[in-house]
């Protein structure tokens, strides 16, 4: 599958190497993260844009929480350690763990 990845110009060299090792076309964008997102959206005007905060990609960020809850007998863990990144895993944890434990926030 062909893939283009857009990253801010100051992205760590280790991340850039990983992107290139997987064979993706790397596009470094000068400016802010928002500038990078804008460049990706513009490039994807005629194709799929897998932005992690949009559906259907965002739903995957809560799947691990549902699966973990199931394996723990539908009891949410006391502690979860996650990389923060852009926050989608944390939001997914909130929705996924809260929903199955009966503590689902009505606006999540």
């Amino acid at each position: 599958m062909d893939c283009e990845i857009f990253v801010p110009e100051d992205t760590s060299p280790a991340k850039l190497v990983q992107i290139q090792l997987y064979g993706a076309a790397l596009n470094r964008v000068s400016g802010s993260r928002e500038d990078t997102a804008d460049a990706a959206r513009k490039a994807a005007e005629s194709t799929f844009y897998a932005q992690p905060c949009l559906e259907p990609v965002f739903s995957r960020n809560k799947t691990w929480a549902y699966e973990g809850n199931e394996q723990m007998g539908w009891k949410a863990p006391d502690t979860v350690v996650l990389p923060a990144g852009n926050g989608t895993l944390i939001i997914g944890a909130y929705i996924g763990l809260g929903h199955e434990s009966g503590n689902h926030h009505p606006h999540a």
Side-chain angles (χ1 to χ4, degrees):
M1 173 186 333
D2 292 332
C3 179
E4 285 189 65
I5 305 293
F6 289 77
V7 298
E9 196 168 51
D10 62 350
T11 298
S12 74
K15 288 182 180 180
L16 300 176
V17 167
Q18 286 182 9
I19 292 167
Q20 291 171 320
L21 285 174
Y22 283 103
L26 178 60
N27 297 286
R28 296 176 75 181
V29 179
S30 62
S32 67
R33 287 181 60 96
E34 187 61 34
D35 294 329
T36 303
D38 288 343
R41 280 189 290 272
K42 182 174 174 64
E45 287 176 349
S46 62
T47 188
F48 181 74
Y49 176 41
Q51 202 274 350
C53 293
L54 301 175
E55 294 295 346
V57 177
F58 180 71
S59 291
R60 296 179 196 147
N61 290 317
K62 60 187 175 191
T63 301
W64 70 268
Y66 289 143
E67 292 175 2
N69 263 341
E70 181 180 32
Q71 292 175 18
M72 295 180 67
W74 301 109
K75 293 182 182 176
D78 293 329
T79 304
V80 176
V81 179
L82 299 168
N86 65 1
T88 57
L89 277 177
I90 294 170
I91 296 168
Y94 175 78
I95 294 171
L97 295 172
H99 179 73
E100 292 301 334
S101 68
N103 295 322
H104 181 64
H105 190 285
H107 302 292

